[in-house]
Amino acid sequence: MLRIVDARTGRLVEIPPVHRHLLSICVHLLAGDGGIGLVGLRPLLVGDVLARTAELHGLQPRAFLTLPDLSHEQARALDRAMSALGVHPPATVGVHHPNGTPCAAADVHVHAYGTAAQDAVGGVRIDVGQVGPAASRDRDVPGRAHLLAPGLLDAVVAPEGTDPLVVRMVMLGHAYRAAVEVTGTALEEARRTLGDWRQLVADWAQEPSRPIPADVLRHTHAALADDLGVPAVLDTLVTLATRADVPAGAKFETFAFLDRVLGLDLAREVGHQHRAAP
């Protein structure tokens, strides 16, 4: 059973609301004068994680996207940003019209921070928390540049050449309703952790496969099913990486399995190294 908090009532509700295997998700974006920034992109990430979690629970997700009337350049930049952040392309993209098909009949509506309520639209409403730029003290650090296309991730400043999935990891580390401040410190910590995990996964991949520990599988499934508890999943992986009682092959299978939801490309380094000589 997959449950999410409906922002209209503040209560956990089951999705989809009736017994069926299809879950329709509509993401509503906002745009400012400079295009769509991280405030707009974060709902896409939340919708992506929800769809990935639905698949893990045996559902068939179908994602739709409504957005303002963007210029051709802005639309192309949005496509590049979604790809860079590991967001699966939505099935349908259209100019915002909340009462139009198919979004009017969506099971879940994911809204950017500051989006006006649309009580006439049915389905569960998810309000995504605000996401802001690095603190002013970080903006002055030399050698920083806009992460992606100018005017798109306009509020994010990161070291040149930063893997965009580092930004994804920073946002995944917070509950989707919570505000996120993308600081240089947070980016560096996520970069270091992501690099360490990818190297560990590559090392573990050289060992015999072992089943995912039952306690880890139960805990992570429950966390994801209970209002998308992705931060708890990340915490579990932090602990699992250092557990002496779990074989390397089991750690590999666990990280690879949960990356189906996280979308952090944790197996990137597999095959790019050689087994050490005995």
Side-chain angles (χ1 to χ4, degrees), residues 197-214:
W197 282 0
R198 286 172 175 166
Q199 187 60 55
L200 286 171
V201 168
D203 293 340
W204 296 332
Q206 300 181 81
E207 302 298 329
S209 177
R210 293 289 186 269
I212 298 174

Side-chain angles (χ1 to χ4, degrees), residues 132-169:
S136 57
R137 62 180 178 276
D138 293 321
R139 292 176 187 162
D140 298 329
V141 177
R144 297 187 181 275
H146 287 293
L147 184 64
L148 292 175
L152 190 63
L153 296 190
D154 53 297
V156 180
V157 190
E160 187 175 358
T162 295
D163 180 351
L165 294 182
V166 169
V167 179
R168 181 181 176 108
M169 188 169 185

Side-chain angles (χ1 to χ4, degrees), residues 24-51:
S24 57
I25 304 165
C26 186
V27 178
H28 303 261
L29 297 193
L30 291 173
D33 294 337
I36 295 177
L38 261 189
V39 169
L41 287 174
R42 193 181 182 195
L44 279 167
L45 176 59
V46 173
D48 182 64
V49 171
L50 177 58

Side-chain angles (χ1 to χ4, degrees), residues 237-262:
L237 293 184
V238 170
T239 301
L240 180 68
T242 60
R243 280 180 58 176
D245 62 317
V246 178
K251 292 179 179 180
F252 169 80
E253 296 295 344
T254 304
F255 272 67
F257 176 73
L258 292 175
D259 198 38
R260 290 166 56 184
V261 169
L262 300 175

